[in-house]
Every structure is written in C-alpha cells, then in structure tokens.
C-alpha cells in the first residue's frame, strides 16, 4: 500500500522534473558565461609556466563553480513558487 496518493506522486514528479530543468538551464548558462569570460581574459596565456599550467584547471573550475552556485537562490525561488502553485488535494 502506497502512502502517497496518485496526485501527490504526480506533483512530486513535476517538482523533480522542474528542478532538473532549472538545473540544466543553470548549467548551460554558467558554462557559457564561464567560457566567455575565459575567452575574454585569455587565461591560457598564463599556462606558459609550470605553476600557471598547474593552476589553470582549478581556476577554470572555480570560475564555473561560482557562477553555478550563484544560480541556487533563483532555482530555489522558481521551484518553491512552482511547488506552492500545485494543488495537493
């Protein structure tokens, strides 16, 4: 016997789908902005030395991670508003 009604299961599936979609959009946007910034700053020029080459990947990762994590409040707001708009009865 399931503890959820069919309506609740459908609502949870809709929330998971909406969350996945928002995260995918945030991923695409953060990667594209990070690539644009990397191109604009020409970060590969610093890879000429051993230290610059060793720090290139962490710098790229950190730049992308900051952009992706900045989308978290927006994603939570969108998903929270969507979940509140669903009928649970």
């Amino acid at each position: 016997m399931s503890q959820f009604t069919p309506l609740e299961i459908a609502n949870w599936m809709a929330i998971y789908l909406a969350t996945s979609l928002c995260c995918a959009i945030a991923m695409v946007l953060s990667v594209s902005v990070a690539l644009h910034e990397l191109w604009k700053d020409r970060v590969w020029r610093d890879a000429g030395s051993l230290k610059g080459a060793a720090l290139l990947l962490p710098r790229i990762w950190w730049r992308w991670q900051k952009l992706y994590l900045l989308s978290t409040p927006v994603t939570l707001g969108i998903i929270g508003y969507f979940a509140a708009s669903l009928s649970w009865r």
Side-chain angles (χ1 to χ4, degrees), residues 4-80:
F4 294 113
T5 66
L7 178 63
E8 289 172 330
I9 292 172
N11 284 347
W12 279 111
M13 292 300 291
I15 290 171
Y16 285 129
L17 181 63
T19 304
S20 300
L21 184 61
C22 283
C23 289
I25 291 169
M27 175 71 76
V28 168
L29 289 174
S30 65
V31 166
S32 63
V33 170
L35 287 174
H36 179 264
E37 288 180 358
L38 292 170
W39 180 261
K40 185 178 71 173
D41 294 343
R42 307 224 189 277
V43 295
W44 58 86
R45 289 183 296 173
D46 297 337
S49 67
L50 183 61
K51 181 182 175 183
L55 292 176
L56 182 63
L57 189 59
R59 283 184 187 151
I60 292 171
W61 179 83
W62 176 244
R63 191 175 292 213
W64 166 77
Q65 195 67 29
K66 279 192 315 187
L67 290 168
Y68 185 72
L69 288 176
L70 284 174
S71 70
T72 302
V74 176
T75 301
L76 288 174
I78 292 169
I79 299 305

